Amino acid sequence: FHARHSVEAPVSTVLADGMACRTPDPGSLQTILEFADDVVCVTDQDIARAMALYYRSTHNLAEGAGGQSSSQTGRIEATSIWV
């Protein structure tokens, strides 16, 4: 994302392996570059913590992709306020 072009990288996740890709799809990358303000990298440990929080809070199991979506909640600084 920050390089603004496709960069090949090894897949290193276990918990969110369904979301992992080694090389971004060019069309998807273009859409992300156009509409996303930032991309946050998360670790398997971040995802595991989010999955555990879901379970403790709701008594439901989340898969890795479900944990990924909120694994950085509370760590991201707000840059704007929506009214």
Side-chain angles (χ1 to χ4, degrees):
F1 176 79
H2 296 286
R4 313 289 298 167
H5 61 85
S6 183
V7 176
E8 188 172 326
V11 173
S12 60
T13 183
V14 174
L15 292 176
D17 60 335
M19 296 177 44
C21 67
R22 193 170 25 124
T23 306
D25 172 70
S28 298
L29 178 61
Q30 199 54 43
T31 301
I32 292 167
L33 291 173
E34 184 176 347
F35 294 105
D37 292 325
D38 200 4
V39 172
V40 178
C41 295
V42 297
T43 65
D44 275 352
Q45 186 177 12
D46 294 328
I47 294 169
R49 276 195 294 264
M51 291 169 67
L53 178 61
Y54 279 147
Y55 184 75
R56 285 193 309 272
S57 301
T58 68
H59 301 285
N60 291 293
L61 295 176
E63 64 169 0
Q68 181 277 335
S69 63
S70 65
S71 63
Q72 292 297 300
T73 302
R75 293 187 185 185
I76 300 172
E77 218 175 284
T79 56
S80 63
I81 298 174
W82 290 44
V83 179

